[in-house]
Amino acid sequence: MSDRVLVLGGTGWVGRLVAQAWVERGARVTVLARGDRPAPAGADLVVADRSEPGAYDAVDDVEWDEIVDISSSPGHVAQAASALGERAAHATYISSVSVYAEADRPGADERAAVVEPLGDGQPYDYARAKVACEHAAAALAVRVAVIRPGLIVGPGDPTDRFGYWPARFATATTESVLVPEAAGLRAQVIDVDDLVAFIVSSGARGFDGVLDAVGESHPLGHVLDLARDAAGHTGEVHAAPADWLERHGVAHWAGPRSLPLWLPAEVRGFAARSGAAYRAAGGGIRPLSETIGRVLQDERARGVSRSRSTGLERAEELALIESLRAGR
């Protein structure tokens, strides 16, 4: 008899790929979501709003082999655990490496301290919310895996972060590109297909525990060079010092008017976690060049010159390069 799998969400990016992978494995998959997007092919859709009473009424009479949850709302996870916890043999909660309290030590692993969980009535904080979700997820099933991915990248990424670089180099072609001075900085990502494969395989074997799902840590300059080579960029590359970028209103990491992947030097451990437990548990890590190639192909399909939620608009970048050249 095939596995019965419930994916809470299952119509977004990672959740959808998890549901698809379980379908391809031969499982009977149900996704519970608001219904504003279709279910993956081969999966059943239960339309429900997890903020509403009775959200799990349609799925609380099934004995589930696996439940997968990725929510960042502690209330959603706690309610799911209350409704379904006695119905599941195993559950996987997808958390984040953002939960760790400190990010200044390269090589840190799952034993590092996490931030305090978000309490009722407190202002929302992503890291603290994820910790609270982890605590709630402990009651989702008899055995629970808590997977803490690093920066998830790959085709379909809705965040516009990692894809910014191959897309920008592809857009610029023979023209200039602005990058941060990268000495001492690192980047660490996990390819979404590697992550999904691990989530499904670890769920199938009933993995019980906590681990960081992260790829290899690379010098940021090397990552940018790989993106440039993949895009065939032949223009100049202008490296700006951190203090200059900050004075000119360029943000770290993500969001408008930012340079994605660029982090402050004091959080040098954020992109340099150990990952040993993930590898020992069978987690796959494909070559970074392969991931960049996949991302670039996806970016070309979506439009490399499109307006993005993260990064510098091209006009902003060219104005900054002019200022950098002029010594302003």
Side-chain angles (χ1 to χ4, degrees):
M1 182 178 293
S2 57
D3 290 326
R4 293 297 304 267
V5 176
L6 174 65
V7 181
L8 300 175
T11 61
W13 184 39
V14 175
R16 184 181 191 86
L17 291 173
V18 169
Q20 287 177 339
W22 270 112
V23 168
E24 291 166 4
R25 193 181 177 95
R28 291 178 291 168
V29 178
T30 299
V31 300
L32 186 147
R34 289 191 299 269
D36 47 4
R37 290 173 291 205
D44 296 323
L45 173 64
V46 171
V47 177
D49 185 339
R50 299 181 68 183
S51 300
E52 298 295 328
Y56 307 98
D57 287 354
V59 295
D60 66 0
D61 60 348
V62 177
E63 297 296 324
W64 299 103
D65 296 292
E66 170 76 342
I67 294 176
V68 181
D69 199 352
I70 196 171
S71 176
S72 300
S73 168
H76 288 177
V77 182
Q79 290 159 14
S82 177
L84 306 171
E86 296 182 358
R87 294 287 189 179
H90 184 268
T92 300
Y93 177 66
I94 305 172
S95 186
S96 168
V97 296
S98 295
V99 300
Y100 292 106
E102 297 178 350
D104 59 348
R105 185 169 66 86
D109 60 20
E110 295 81 359
R111 294 169 292 183
V114 299
V115 298
E116 290 296 316
L118 187 70
D120 292 340
Q122 293 180 328
Y124 185 82
D125 176 85
Y126 177 76
R128 297 182 65 199
K130 277 294 195 182
V131 173
C133 288
E134 290 185 3
H135 290 186
L140 266 174
V142 176
R143 299 186 305 282
V144 178
V146 174
I147 311 299
R148 295 170 177 164
L151 178 62
I152 307 170
V153 305
D157 180 2
T159 71
D160 283 340
R161 286 177 292 189
F162 189 76
Y164 172 90
W165 289 111
R168 181 48 47 91
F169 283 120
T171 299
T173 59
T174 61
E175 298 177 350
S176 297
V177 170
L178 182 71
V179 303
E181 284 189 352
L185 302 182
R186 303 191 72 82
Q188 186 174 38
V189 303
I190 181 74
D191 189 292
V192 67
D193 283 359
D194 292 336
L195 173 65
V196 167
F198 180 77
I199 289 168
V200 173
S201 65
S202 64
R205 69 175 185 269
F207 172 78
D208 190 356
V210 179
L211 58 74
D212 298 338
V214 294
E216 301 291 346
S217 177
H218 297 274
L220 177 58
H222 175 62
V223 177
L224 299 182
D225 286 344
L226 287 177
R228 182 173 185 243
D229 290 345
H233 178 255
T234 58
E236 292 185 279
V237 175
H238 299 271
D243 58 348
W244 187 93
L245 290 169
E246 291 164 358
R247 288 198 311 273
H248 287 77
V250 179
H252 292 93
W253 187 245
R257 199 176 169 82
S258 69
L259 284 178
L261 307 188
W262 174 51
L263 288 165
E266 58 267 24
V267 295
R268 60 196 179 97
F270 181 81
R273 300 200 66 78
S274 166
Y278 171 72
R279 296 189 296 274
I285 302 173
R286 71 190 61 207
L288 183 59
S289 58
E290 180 181 335
T291 294
I292 289 173
R294 283 161 32 85
V295 169
L296 178 58
Q297 182 177 13
D298 179 58
E299 289 288 342
R300 290 192 190 279
R302 294 161 67 184
V304 293
S305 300
R306 73 185 190 279
S307 184
R308 311 175 70 89
S309 62
T310 282
L312 294 170
E313 296 292 344
R314 184 60 174 156
E316 292 176 327
E317 179 184 25
L318 292 174
L320 286 165
I321 290 172
E322 183 179 347
S323 294
L324 183 65
R325 281 172 164 166
R328 298 197 297 269

